[in-house]
Amino acid sequence: MTRWIDAAFVRGGTSKGLFFRAADLPPVGDGEERTAWDRIFTSAMGSPDAFGRQLDGMGGGISSLSKVMVVSASDRDGVDLDYTFAQVEIAEAAVDYSGNCGNLSSGVVPFALLTGLISAGDGWHVFRLFNVNTGKLVDVGLTVEGGQAAVDGDFVLTGVSGKAAPIELIYPDPAGSRTGALLPTGNTSDSLVAGGFLIDATLIDSTLPLVIVPCTAVGLTGTELPEQIDADSRALGLIEELRRAAAVRMGLCPTPETAPQVVPKVAVVNAQADTRLLDGTRLPAADADLPVRVISMGQARKAVPGTAAMCLAAAALVPDTIPHRILTRSKHPRSGPEVRLGTPSGVVTASAVRDTTTGEVTATSLYRTARVLMRGQVAVAD
């Protein structure tokens, strides 16, 4: 039997996913009670798929195209919307709620305006969102035209063709999104065992838990294209072992075997270097402060998750972290809160603000674009 559920298909940043109103789904709580959602989300996205393509659903066979957002009007004081992010695994019928998605977060307000969860007059507005996954607030600024989020504009987002209207994401108080602390271990770098070696990595949690490791420590140059990394089983195996060890050290799980799939993500970083981009052009070393390759759900990302970009910007401000050391040694040191990240799709700029008195990162931000691609109903196997 097939049932149909109201939904929209939305591009947010460099990700795409299904968006649902919470009222159109079975009421659920945390933990085991979300199994009703799990069945709906895996069926709608086409998981499990042993061929890795999700052809029998709306998923695209890679982690950035296998996502779901659930949105509702908020009852919290001063908050406009609540939203829950769900990462749907591809080869298994499983859903991970352990983190947030910065890219798809940019699609929450456009979806809410479209479906009547909120309304606003024309002009620039800032909406306050509550992310259920992390318990953190997110401020979203965008232009409203005719009651809907503006689409046309002059902003170019790396990894997305064409130009569009900018959407600003601001994460106030981003530290400790899952671990309760900016530096979960209290250290700017930690030695972890992976592949029989001790590897130094920065474990940081600002908008999401992230493991930052020098490219040479995992046998990479830091300039590879995603398909080259995905074909390197040795490097991917080492990165996954490192990620699971870091998850334990960060307090996200008791054992490596129980590590969440979504977090922590891994950022492989490098000193400034010329790199080849996915479109065949070259990115000069001077145009990016920090080349980065992000591994998420066992795959190399073609750009960078929004939350990972903001976490890297935060790490770059903290003395003696691995990104801070690289930037300090750079021939072209950056100034101010922004850091230019060199990704396989081009440069992504993210910002962070740090209180030098307390040492805390007080805010992170970046710009994205979003567009609702389809609205209607999605087929779900009953």
Side-chain angles (χ1 to χ4, degrees):
M1 296 291 293
T2 297
R3 57 173 163 150
W4 298 87
I5 302 176
D6 288 349
F9 197 53
V10 181
R11 179 191 62 79
T14 53
S15 294
K16 289 193 291 189
L18 278 173
F19 280 59
F20 296 93
R21 294 181 304 181
D24 294 326
L25 296 173
V28 300
D30 293 330
E32 294 301 318
E33 297 177 49
R34 282 183 174 153
T35 52
W37 282 9
D38 295 352
R39 289 192 294 271
I40 291 171
F41 298 163
T42 54
S43 175
M45 298 305 285
S47 295
D49 186 347
F51 299 101
R53 299 179 67 189
Q54 294 176 306
L55 283 177
D56 202 34
M58 299 295 293
I62 58 176
S63 63
S64 60
L65 306 180
S66 186
K67 299 180 175 185
V68 172
M69 283 287 194
V70 181
V71 186
S72 64
S74 182
D75 294 327
R76 306 172 199 273
D77 290 341
V79 178
D80 298 296
L81 298 164
D82 292 349
Y83 73 100
T84 301
F85 168 63
Q87 178 75 60
V88 180
E89 295 195 32
I90 297 166
E92 300 178 24
V95 183
D96 195 317
Y97 301 93
S98 61
N100 186 16
C101 175
N103 277 304
L104 276 199
S105 294
S106 64
V108 171
V109 172
F111 170 77
L113 288 167
L114 179 71
T115 55
L117 290 172
I118 55 173
S119 61
D122 287 2
W124 179 265
H125 294 270
V126 177
F127 301 89
R128 174 148 283 193
L129 282 52
F130 178 82
N131 176 243
V132 176
N133 307 73
T134 62
K136 293 286 188 177
L137 296 171
V138 183
D139 291 333
V140 177
L142 53 73
T143 299
V144 175
E145 294 179 351
Q148 302 300 311
V151 174
D152 296 330
D154 293 325
F155 183 75
V156 176
L157 177 62
T158 295
V160 179
S161 297
K163 300 178 180 180
I167 298 174
E168 185 177 16
L169 299 177
I170 303 172
Y171 285 63
D173 187 29
S177 67
R178 287 301 308 275
T179 65
L182 178 67
L183 299 171
T185 66
N187 305 318
T188 54
S189 65
D190 288 87
S191 294
L192 303 170
V193 177
F197 300 98
L198 274 177
I199 297 175
D200 283 338
T202 289
L203 313 183
I204 188 166
D205 181 3
S206 181
T207 69
L208 95 161
L210 187 66
V211 183
I212 308 172
V213 60
C215 59
T216 53
V218 291
L220 298 174
T221 66
T223 61
E224 292 91 349
L225 293 177
E227 58 265 28
Q228 293 175 292
I229 297 176
D230 289 345
D232 191 336
S233 58
R234 180 187 178 280
L236 282 181
L238 187 61
I239 289 169
E240 179 61 13
E241 187 176 348
L242 178 70
R243 190 190 75 84
R244 289 179 176 273
V248 176
R249 193 75 64 90
M250 298 171 88
L252 294 168
C253 57
T255 65
E257 294 74 23
T258 57
Q261 289 297 314
V262 173
V263 294
K265 298 187 189 303
V266 178
V268 179
V269 296
N270 186 25
Q272 287 176 315
D274 290 346
T275 59
R276 185 165 60 92
L277 302 181
L278 286 167
D279 63 2
T281 62
R282 295 199 69 81
L283 177 67
D287 289 358
D289 303 309
L290 189 71
V292 60
R293 301 295 184 261
V294 174
I295 313 302
S296 175
M297 304 286 288
Q299 296 175 314
R301 291 290 291 263
K302 289 180 170 58
V304 59
T307 47
M310 289 184 281
C311 192
L312 283 160
L317 290 177
V318 179
D320 205 38
T321 63
I322 288 171
H324 186 271
R325 294 178 207 164
I326 291 174
L327 292 170
T328 300
R329 296 193 299 264
S330 171
K331 294 180 181 179
H332 307 278
R334 73 188 183 98
S335 60
E338 293 186 343
V339 60
R340 301 170 302 164
L341 304 171
T343 82
S345 295
V347 176
V348 172
T349 301
S351 301
V353 178
R354 179 173 177 264
D355 187 325
T356 55
T357 302
T358 64
E360 285 299 313
V361 174
T362 56
T364 58
S365 66
L366 83 166
Y367 283 91
R368 304 278 88 179
T369 64
R371 189 164 77 94
V372 178
L373 305 175
M374 181 280 296
R375 64 180 299 187
Q377 294 183 316
V378 66
V380 175
D382 228 346

